[in-house]
Amino acid sequence: DADVTQTPRNRITKTGKRIMLECSQTKGHDRMYWYRQDPGLGLRLIYYSFDVKDINKGEISDGYSVSRQAQAKFSLSLESAIPNQTALYFCATSDLFASGGTDTQYFGPGTRLTVL
Amino acid sequence: KQEVTQIPAALSVPEGENLVLNCSFTDSAIYNLQWFRQDPGKGLTSLLLIQSSQREQTSGRLNASLDKSSGRSTLYIAASQPGDSATYLCAVSPSDDYKLSFGAGTTVTVRA
């Protein structure tokens, strides 16, 4: 089984709909991240969480919200989806101490979201 | 704001040729630099991580170098194989936190 899973893997929705993307991990890591990837651009950080009670905005948080339901679960919501939120979304996890201080991030397979 | 650039955006080579992928970054105050591989339909896989105090890291046919003063890193892949075809991403972590700044990637095609 994959250590970092994302559901759904693909989603097509309409403008104005509320969408939730879910991420689960079995690695026991404290840190979790949400990124989006657009063609020709690198991954950009949306939100990150260093533990259940610590949630922080990333580079492009407008239009998004997150929930850290447990150490292993981190959800990303689009309150009212718009077409320019069409992208590939990745969840990642890391653990500073388990990685010996390198904080290597482990990525899920991604969710391809299309907003019509 | 850290800017990470990868040139070229795409590269096609015959099997057996050595690959050289470039990454440049604007702020030399980094904690570490990572190279990732991305395959279609799959997530990113970390290939090599270089700490700011290191000059290079090696893993099998892969070697990554880091020159902080000039803001450059290079990933070398020796004796390329068709299975090396993928997109390679460079990411840097700043000194004051652990958020990654990514380049747009170089898409590599190795022709059999």
Side-chain angles (χ1 to χ4, degrees), chain A residues 9 31 35 37 40-43 45 48 59 90 101-105 107-109, chain B residues 1 31-32 34 36 38 41-44 46 49 51 89 98-100 102-104:
Chain A
R9 294 294 310 279
R31 301 180 173 193
Y35 293 90
Q37 184 179 36
L41 298 177
L43 277 71
L45 184 64
Y48 63 104
E59 181 184 353
F90 286 104
T102 63
D103 206 36
T104 300
Q105 293 188 20
F107 284 77
Chain B
K1 180 178 179 290
Y31 182 72
N32 62 42
Q34 297 183 61
F36 291 87
Q38 182 178 15
K42 299 183 180 180
L44 281 66
S46 181
L49 183 148
Q51 299 278 36
L89 299 165
Y98 300 96
K99 300 189 295 290
L100 293 176
F102 281 83

Side-chain angles (χ1 to χ4, degrees), chain B residues 29 31 93-99:
Chain B
Y31 182 72
S93 180
S95 295
D96 57 348
D97 62 36
Y98 300 96
K99 300 189 295 290

Side-chain angles (χ1 to χ4, degrees), chain B residues 4 6-7 19 22 31 36 51 54 56 60 74 83-84 87 94:
Chain B
V4 182
Q6 293 185 248
I7 295 174
L19 285 164
N22 297 303
Y31 182 72
F36 291 87
Q51 299 278 36
Q54 298 174 319
E56 66 176 350
T74 302
D84 294 328
T87 296

Side-chain angles (χ1 to χ4, degrees), chain B residues 16-57:
Chain B
E17 190 166 303
N18 295 332
L19 285 164
V20 180
L21 307 180
N22 297 303
C23 172
S24 61
F25 47 94
T26 55
D27 186 349
S28 62
I30 65 171
Y31 182 72
N32 62 42
L33 182 145
Q34 297 183 61
W35 282 94
F36 291 87
R37 171 182 171 138
Q38 182 178 15
D39 294 284
K42 299 183 180 180
L44 281 66
T45 302
S46 181
L47 297 174
L48 289 168
L49 183 148
I50 311 176
Q51 299 278 36
S52 62
S53 58
Q54 298 174 319
R55 294 298 297 251
E56 66 176 350
Q57 278 285 348

